[in-house]
Amino acid sequence: MAARYDRIAAELRAKISRGAHPAGWRLPAETELAAEYGANLGTVRRAMATLEAEGIIERRHGVGTFVKEKRQRISRSSERYQWEKNRTPLSDEDRRRTGATEFDTGLELQDLRFSARYQTVSADSDVAEAMSVKEGTPLLRRTYETRRVGENAPLGIATSYLLLDLIEGNSDLLDEAKEPWPGGTQHQLSTVGVEIDRIDDRVTARPATISEATALDVRPGEPILALRKTSIDTHGRVVEVADIVWPGDRIELHYPTRLARWAK
Amino acid sequence: MAARYDRIAAELRAKISRGAHPAGWRLPAETELAAEYGANLGTVRRAMATLEAEGIIERRHGVGTFVKEKRQRISRSSERYQWEKNRTPLSDEDRRRTGATEFDTGLELQDLRFSARYQTVSADSDVAEAMSVKEGTPLLRRTYETRRVGENAPLGIATSYLLLDLIEGNSDLLDEAKEPWPGGTQHQLSTVGVEIDRIDDRVTARPATISEATALDVRPGEPILALRKTSIDTHGRVVEVADIVWPGDRIELHYPTRLARWAK
DNA sequence: GAGTGGTCTAGACCACTGT
DNA sequence: CAGTGGTCTAGACCACTCC
């Protein structure tokens, strides 16, 4: 026997998915729904909480409850890596014209704002293992936030780690005021003679932690798409590890794979 | 001012992440926690619901509440695509020995059980668009569930669509009793002369729908990792579209990218 | 100020699990 | 059967938004 709040949720879910209520439509007040279903307010509120967790409705304090508009997903393609590499030999001016995020479909450079923060830290066990260095090794930690113009919450947050002793040959690389750096990390590393050979992406989904929920302006527990990006140079060294997180409903990661042809 | 349930949740979260309580440790009963914090039972329960959504604790009806053990993630690499292609010319016996999921790290063939269900359907608008065919085009829909031996809930569920008029040259391809097919879909398609040239993966994260929650044995709203896989043959035709879903905490998708070397 | 969703309490009873 | 989490009610009051 399904719980009462499940039946209320199911009924509303069915109405919405059947298209009876378009996106943006305002639902009756919770007290009205309670009267309508002959249920207690708390029971109705629990049903609403379920639908909200499913991403079907949006509750706005003091305003009302609405059928949620589908947010447009940004697409991010792994082809950006080769594209970025191809641009490292270009002039500063050429590199300045477009960024990697603009390369991915959907957005233009002027629609986006970046912010960067640099800190020197020592490697914790997780990053140390990913970079094959000893725990405590000095690193440069760089935190990037990407925002759409007019939006308060960032689209995504990237945390990148570089080996400090690899990059100290170029003091510009330690200066966050030089961001956004035309040509991105691959160009930054090329200034100290590093050529990236391979980039390893590992993608997971998990509930937002409290701090992610705060930073990305989503509810705790809401699905997060997390990418651990590991860059390996032509000498087989791990030269960058980056963790990137997005609210699950804002991103699509695109990975094309070309296969070798059959021998004739 | 943080809500009371937020403070209770924060306190417990801190204790757990500080390592004061190991994985598997049983928390005090909710009534005890209520007394301890001087709060109402409902308030404590709300705090627990938050921690449960974050994946930190697990509540078992009639038993108690426990610090959640981290589930081991299965890794699935895009290298499986080329690996599978390389095996299409091999003998039936050779192909039978290992499957693509065994290729990915972590599991052995004997630890896994597959089940398949075939149905002929007509293309809905979403799949029709993905395959560049008209809505209503006849398709073979194949649903696969992968289970670890001894586990009830599937690891993941795959729904694959093939163009019926492409495969009807080989009636074995319409027979679900032939599953698991040694060599997988790429070999199946090779029997009707199709060579895959390119596979496009699109990865998203989203809350589990009600039906996914039931099928995968997770809570509604829990993070799901979803993959839309599109296979394109050497003539540029979309020959397979597959949707694969996993509980977010069970899978890691691995995508290596090799970059072209700089010209000397 | 009216109306909305958000928090919290107090208490009853149900449903599941292990002994 | 004891002890746990799950459901539901009734009602008070708060916090936010908009007019």
Side-chain angles (χ1 to χ4, degrees), chain B residues 5-119:
Chain B
Y5 64 79
D6 269 341
R7 279 177 288 137
I8 294 172
E11 207 160 311
L12 289 167
R13 189 187 299 115
K15 275 186 189 164
I16 291 169
S17 73
R18 190 180 341 118
H21 306 312
W25 183 74
R26 176 177 163 164
L27 278 73
E30 294 176 344
T31 48
E32 283 178 55
L33 288 171
E36 183 183 327
Y37 287 103
N40 184 274
L41 182 60
T43 305
V44 168
R45 283 184 53 73
R46 170 119 193 225
M48 305 303 264
T50 307
L51 296 177
E52 190 176 35
E54 289 171 24
I56 295 172
I57 63 170
E58 182 181 1
R59 298 200 277 180
R60 290 213 287 271
H61 192 179
V63 185
T65 302
F66 302 83
V67 176
K68 196 165 170 181
E69 314 265 359
K70 283 212 173 60
R71 282 210 278 191
Q72 201 196 327
R73 287 180 194 273
I74 306 300
S75 186
R76 178 192 189 273
S77 171
S78 62
E79 285 172 344
R80 59 158 50 207
Y81 299 144
Q82 182 64 55
W83 181 84
E84 207 176 85
K85 182 160 182 175
N86 294 344
R87 284 154 52 84
T88 53
L90 300 186
S91 72
D92 196 73
E93 192 192 348
D94 282 343
R95 278 180 284 111
R96 198 179 299 279
R97 259 198 285 276
T98 48
T101 301
E102 191 202 357
F103 166 75
D104 296 316
T105 54
L107 291 180
E108 307 265 323
L109 194 53
Q110 67 263 30
D111 296 333
L112 294 169
R113 292 286 174 278
F114 299 90
S115 63
R117 224 182 60 238
Y118 283 21
Q119 280 175 297

Side-chain angles (χ1 to χ4, degrees), chain A residues 58-128:
Chain A
E58 182 181 359
R59 298 200 276 181
R60 290 213 288 272
H61 192 179
V63 184
T65 302
F66 303 83
V67 176
K68 197 166 169 180
E69 314 266 359
K70 283 211 174 61
R71 281 208 279 189
Q72 200 196 329
R73 287 182 195 271
I74 306 300
S75 185
R76 178 192 189 274
S77 171
S78 63
E79 285 172 345
R80 60 158 51 206
Y81 299 145
Q82 182 65 55
W83 182 83
E84 207 177 85
K85 182 161 181 174
N86 293 345
R87 285 155 50 84
T88 53
L90 301 186
S91 72
D92 196 73
E93 192 194 347
D94 282 341
R95 278 180 283 112
R96 196 179 300 277
R97 260 197 285 275
T98 49
T101 301
E102 190 202 357
F103 167 75
D104 297 315
T105 54
L107 291 181
E108 307 265 323
L109 192 53
Q110 67 264 27
D111 295 333
L112 295 168
R113 290 287 174 277
F114 300 91
S115 63
R117 225 182 58 238
Y118 282 21
Q119 280 176 297
T120 60
V121 299
S122 54
D124 65 21
S125 63
D126 173 44
V127 174

Side-chain angles (χ1 to χ4, degrees), chain A residues 4-5 40 43 46 61-62:
Chain A
R4 186 149 198 188
Y5 63 79
N40 184 276
T43 306
R46 170 118 193 225
H61 192 179

